[in-house]
Amino acid sequence: MAKRAPRAVGIDIGGTGIKGALVDLSDGSLLTDRIKVATPKGAEPEDVLAAVKKVLSTIGDHDAPLGVAFPAVVRRGKTMSAANVAKTWIGFEAEDFFQQGLGRDIHFANDADVAGVAEVRYGAAKGVDGLALLTTLGTGIGTALIYDGVLVPNSELGHLPRANHKRSAEQWAAYSAKERDELSWSAWAERLQWYYSTLEDLLNPDLFIVGGGVSKHADEFLPLLQIDTPIVPAVHRNNAGIIGAAALSVD
Ligand code: BGC
């Protein structure tokens, strides 16, 4: 009998949607459709768990390893922040909560970090020397710092403050801010120009990678940015979180 490709399920919990799929770990491709449900209003733990269960039951393959990504700082299984989810998650034993609620072991990590892992293993950061900085532009701004292929976890550069302004980088320049303020691509790109040139000044990365759902429209805004650092869309676009969560589940 032919050997089955190594596979795992990845679930990516975001501020707006909860997405999942079964992933072929040999190349990071999706073996099932990408299943998506809306993140429940308020994003309280019990409601998020119920939504994750719904996604998992649609995917099937209950024996595959499972990785879950979450939009918060994750330290030893605990969620330590809550920018776009209920404040209940701050200091919450989230990994245990999901393991008990789902009745199976999981690997639990920050959503942008796992997207970074996906891009290192199967995408734009593969083989990149030095500092690759992945940013996800969605409900919030997530970041993953990858140095010589190694993730430095829990960077939160989406929350960079803006001098003399109330709104942080994320509140001003995330994709949700484009929608909220009904910005054209070029008006939004002006905000991104500030964001990426600030990151460039502070961190001097070798490569920026742009993920999140809007990365499929990268042609509309990346060419408008004037920065010295190369900047490319995430190869796995908005699936990077699913793929990275799955990949980490077997580490
Ligand atoms: C959170 C990050 C997360 C990002 C993208 C931010 O608000 O603080 O942990 O990675 O949103 O979801």
Side-chain angles (χ1 to χ4, degrees):
M1 208 170 80
K3 218 172 136 206
R4 234 165 66 136
R7 51 184 63 196
V9 173
I11 301 281
D12 183 8
I13 299 171
T16 306
I18 299 178
K19 310 165 275 283
L22 182 67
V23 177
D24 180 338
L25 299 179
S26 60
D27 60 2
S29 60
L30 302 195
L31 292 166
T32 61
D33 284 346
R34 174 174 181 270
I35 309 300
K36 184 171 176 183
V37 301
T39 303
K41 209 162 168 268
E44 288 288 351
E46 287 295 343
D47 299 334
V48 171
L49 173 64
V52 168
K53 281 185 180 166
K54 204 186 278 175
V55 172
L56 277 174
S57 69
T58 313
I59 296 168
D61 211 330
H62 302 290
D63 298 326
L66 172 61
V68 177
F70 195 84
V73 172
V74 176
R75 192 161 286 152
R76 286 179 218 91
K78 252 191 193 186
T79 37
M80 303 302 289
S81 65
N84 297 301
V85 289
K87 300 295 172 217
T88 327
W89 294 94
I90 301 175
F92 186 73
E93 292 286 358
E95 186 170 31
D96 282 355
F97 172 78
F98 282 114
Q99 289 191 152
Q100 280 174 27
L102 300 172
R104 61 201 274 196
D105 284 347
I106 66 168
H107 185 286
F108 189 66
N110 172 266
D111 58 350
D113 281 349
V114 304
V117 167
E119 290 295 315
V120 170
R121 295 202 186 167
Y122 314 109
K126 195 171 175 180
V128 171
D129 288 333
L131 183 62
L133 174 41
L134 174 127
T135 56
T136 61
L137 302 174
T139 314
I141 296 183
T143 56
L145 288 179
I146 298 142
Y147 191 78
D148 280 355
V150 178
L151 173 74
V152 182
N154 284 320
S155 64
E156 286 286 341
L157 299 166
H159 297 292
L160 273 184
R162 292 161 56 236
N164 304 321
H165 287 88
K166 276 222 303 265
R167 285 180 168 155
S168 65
E170 150 171 315
Q171 290 161 341
W172 193 60
Y175 180 59
S176 59
K178 176 185 186 300
E179 293 192 309
R180 180 195 63 217
D181 297 342
E182 297 177 7
L183 302 178
S184 63
W185 291 111
S186 62
W188 186 46
E190 282 176 29
R191 298 186 183 188
L192 295 176
Q193 174 67 35
W194 166 80
Y195 183 57
Y196 286 101
S197 54
T198 302
L199 289 179
E200 186 172 58
D201 288 349
L202 296 176
L203 289 157
N204 297 293
D206 296 284
L207 177 68
F208 282 120
I209 301 161
V210 180
V214 72
S215 58
K216 62 174 178 282
H217 301 298
D219 288 353
E220 304 278 2
F221 61 97
L222 290 190
L224 305 180
L225 301 183
Q226 292 181 345
I227 51 177
D228 294 331
T229 311
I231 184 163
V232 297
V235 168
H236 297 286
R237 305 289 201 264
N238 211 18
N239 289 339
I242 297 175
I243 297 165
L248 278 179
S249 72
V250 298
D251 278 8

